[in-house]
Amino acid sequence: MVFWALLLGNLLIGCLVAYIFNCWASISTFMGGLTGGATIGLLFTVAFDLIFYATTNVTTISGIAVDVVINLLIWGISSGVVGWWLGRSK
């Protein structure tokens, strides 16, 4: 595992979520962030996994299902924190 790339990638995703929530969606609560982030994460993960499945021999449908569930939790919780953070000064 290349830890610096993992860290940088996650920070960039966090910046993308914060930008979307702050500039376009006006999300400023934990539940708003959780809902918005889970939706974005679900769409992003399913799309990425299906493209990955179609173009490689690395994963299976059950692997995709597990990845979607795990990423749904990660996107939801982390986006909830972003929503809370954006609304803490209001």
Side-chain angles (χ1 to χ4, degrees):
M1 186 174 344
V2 182
F3 189 72
W4 69 265
L6 179 64
L7 181 65
L8 183 59
N10 280 292
L11 286 172
L12 290 172
I13 292 278
C15 289
L16 174 66
V17 168
Y19 181 79
I20 291 169
F21 286 3
N22 191 45
C23 295
W24 295 338
S26 299
I27 291 175
S28 59
T29 65
F30 180 83
M31 285 307 294
L34 186 134
T35 304
T39 302
I40 294 168
L42 178 68
L43 295 171
F44 182 84
T45 303
V46 170
F48 181 82
D49 282 354
L50 288 175
I51 292 168
F52 196 66
Y53 178 74
T55 59
T56 69
N57 292 326
V58 177
T59 191
T60 63
I61 293 294
S62 59
I64 289 173
V66 170
D67 190 51
V68 167
V69 170
I70 290 169
N71 273 288
L72 191 60
L73 291 170
I74 291 169
W75 275 84
I77 293 168
S78 60
S79 296
V81 171
V82 170
W84 167 81
W85 184 262
L86 291 172
R88 67 187 162 76
S89 63
K90 293 182 180 180

